[in-house]
Amino acid sequence: MTTREYGIQAIKDEAEALLDLIPKIDRNFELAVNLMLNCKGKVIVTGVGKSGHIGAKIAATLASTGTPSFFINPLDVFHGDLGVMTHEDVVIAISNSGQTDELLRFIPMVLHMEIPIIGMSGNPSSLLAKYSTYHLYVGVKKEACPLNLAPTSSTTATLAMGDALAIALMQKRDFRPQDFAHFHPGGELGKRLLTTAQDVMRSDNLPIFPPETHLGEAIMMVSEGKLGLGVAEVDGRIVGLITDGDIRRAIERWKAEFFDHTVSDIMTRSPKTVTLQTKITEIQHIMQTYKIHSVLVVNDKQQLLGVVDHYSCMI
């Protein structure tokens, strides 16, 4: 096999492990989700070695999607970290073998505190499975490793099961984009989800003119506005919109007679509008759906407040 083929085979092995995981989403999975949903404390994820790395990612995913969660190393529990746990918490304990010594020494402490355990392992007959309130089986036929030793397919399956728990909880909580933004306020996605039209719109020196304005004059005003558009108003209310594209097509159509026409001859009479509170993500959806580059921001009387264009949304 070539180097490329080795890589392809590894991905195929891990993909197969994921597909084999589907029948293992059983009643225990449902009970585990409900246990976490009704948890009044925190979800504490624990594991050793590679399972610990996967556990840390699962804890981060849960925390960012509305489930208070964090990871602790079971070894640290013996040096004071047990103090962060309460009887209102839920523990997710991860071990591929289900027999990891460091983890099993931690389990009795959890049981003594009457904290429910969601075990996640590749061995349904293990001690971890035995002492778990609910056990999630994540066993795989083989590792992607050619020696069948390095945790590869097994860690991928465990991570996927953790994601499945997080997604199920999101659905149960009716977790929405604005909720995601609340937990990711510093990221690009968070900014887009929280930013509104009012935050990015241009409201000064807007190219506004009556619909009877001759196109020659309108061209000058559109050019000065540097937005690629102009808004037609009557008594302070929007009646139409023209764009650079409208002007170009009108020139191609009428040629020398172009200057005999007015804005009302080419304007779009029902331009797309949004409110001050419309989120940038929704504005982007409108632009993509209708293949436009700008929207008008209006109040409840359909009076122009500003313009948001494609570049304004690139935050």
Side-chain angles (χ1 to χ4, degrees), residues 100-139:
T100 306
D101 182 63
E102 298 90 341
L103 188 64
L104 293 180
R105 284 189 285 140
F106 168 57
I107 296 300
M109 302 180 190
V110 179
L111 295 175
H112 177 72
M113 296 179 67
E114 298 183 344
I115 298 174
I117 300 171
I118 298 172
M120 199 181 297
S121 82
N123 184 359
S125 301
S126 64
L127 288 174
L128 175 59
K130 177 181 178 180
Y131 289 109
S132 294
T133 309
Y134 304 116
H135 180 254
L136 304 179
Y137 178 46
V138 291

Side-chain angles (χ1 to χ4, degrees), residues 270-290:
S270 298
K272 299 302 175 186
T273 61
V274 298
T275 68
L276 289 171
Q277 289 74 40
T278 303
K279 298 292 192 297
I280 288 300
T281 49
E282 183 178 345
I283 293 174
Q284 289 176 317
H285 176 70
I286 293 172
M287 290 180 180
Q288 292 170 1
T289 300
Y290 295 99

Side-chain angles (χ1 to χ4, degrees), residues 26-41 43 62 67 88-90 92 116 118 133-134 136 164-173:
D26 55 11
R27 176 64 175 163
N28 273 357
F29 179 87
E30 295 181 10
L31 294 171
V33 169
N34 287 332
L35 180 64
M36 298 165 68
L37 181 66
N38 296 315
C39 174
K40 296 180 180 179
V43 174
L62 289 169
T67 300
E88 293 187 331
D89 297 334
V90 170
I92 297 179
I118 298 172
T133 309
Y134 304 116
L136 304 179
L165 289 171
I167 298 306
L169 281 165
M170 287 177 67
Q171 297 285 357
K172 287 279 191 177
R173 297 186 195 281

Side-chain angles (χ1 to χ4, degrees), residues 8-24 139-144 153-154 156-157:
I8 291 172
Q9 187 58 50
I11 293 174
K12 285 183 177 179
D13 288 342
E14 297 200 2
E16 182 180 353
L18 292 181
L19 292 175
D20 289 343
L21 201 62
I22 294 175
K24 298 165 187 170
V140 299
K141 295 176 183 177
K142 64 175 182 176
E143 300 288 2
S153 298
S154 58
T156 299

Side-chain angles (χ1 to χ4, degrees), residues 20-293:
D20 289 343
L21 201 62
I22 294 175
K24 298 165 187 170
I25 305 291
D26 55 11
R27 176 64 175 163
N28 273 357
F29 179 87
E30 295 181 10
L31 294 171
V33 169
N34 287 332
L35 180 64
M36 298 165 68
L37 181 66
N38 296 315
C39 174
K40 296 180 180 179
K42 309 168 293 295
V43 174
I44 298 171
V45 187
T46 187
V48 179
K50 302 296 190 300
S51 293
H53 295 311
I54 296 300
K57 194 277 177 184
I58 291 174
T61 299
L62 289 169
S64 69
T65 52
T67 300
S69 177
F70 63 89
F71 173 82
I72 62 172
N73 190 313
L75 298 174
D76 294 333
V77 172
F78 300 102
H79 302 281
D81 281 7
L82 190 63
V84 304
M85 299 173 61
T86 73
H87 69 280
E88 293 187 331
D89 297 334
V90 170
V91 166
I92 297 179
I94 304 172
S95 168
N96 186 43
S97 68
Q99 301 287 132
T100 306
D101 182 63
E102 298 90 341
L103 188 64
L104 293 180
R105 284 189 285 140
F106 168 57
I107 296 300
M109 302 180 190
V110 179
L111 295 175
H112 177 72
M113 296 179 67
E114 298 183 344
I115 298 174
I117 300 171
I118 298 172
M120 199 181 297
S121 82
N123 184 359
S125 301
S126 64
L127 288 174
L128 175 59
K130 177 181 178 180
Y131 289 109
S132 294
T133 309
Y134 304 116
H135 180 254
L136 304 179
Y137 178 46
V138 291
V140 299
K141 295 176 183 177
K142 64 175 182 176
E143 300 288 2
C145 165
L147 302 177
N148 199 32
L149 295 174
T152 45
S153 298
S154 58
T155 49
T156 299
T158 304
L159 182 60
M161 183 64 81
D163 286 342
L165 289 171
I167 298 306
L169 281 165
M170 287 177 67
Q171 297 285 357
K172 287 279 191 177
R173 297 186 195 281
D174 193 24
F175 198 79
R176 299 176 180 276
Q178 54 266 36
D179 300 315
F180 192 88
H182 175 74
F183 289 100
H184 300 75
E188 179 182 347
L189 177 58
K191 289 179 182 177
R192 291 207 313 272
L193 291 170
L194 291 172
T195 304
T196 65
Q198 185 175 14
D199 298 321
V200 300
M201 71 181 189
R202 170 160 158 205
S203 57
D204 59 317
N205 299 320
L206 299 176
I208 301 171
F209 33 68
E212 61 270 18
T213 303
H214 281 88
L215 290 178
E217 183 181 354
I219 286 179
M220 299 293 293
M221 298 178 70
V222 169
S223 178
E224 291 174 4
K226 298 180 180 179
L227 284 170
L229 58 79
V231 181
E233 286 189 352
V234 174
D235 297 330
R237 294 175 62 85
I238 299 170
V239 295
L241 171 77
I242 64 170
T243 66
D244 283 338
D246 295 327
I247 294 172
R248 184 179 65 255
R249 286 185 289 273
I251 292 174
E252 292 173 350
R253 176 184 177 186
W254 290 317
K255 297 181 173 58
E257 297 177 359
F258 169 82
F259 293 97
D260 297 330
H261 291 271
T262 64
V263 168
S264 62
D265 295 328
I266 66 170
M267 69 183 186
T268 298
R269 298 179 183 275
S270 298
K272 299 302 175 186
T273 61
V274 298
T275 68
L276 289 171
Q277 289 74 40
T278 303
K279 298 292 192 297
I280 288 300
T281 49
E282 183 178 345
I283 293 174
Q284 289 176 317
H285 176 70
I286 293 172
M287 290 180 180
Q288 292 170 1
T289 300
Y290 295 99
K291 295 179 172 55
I292 56 178
H293 298 286

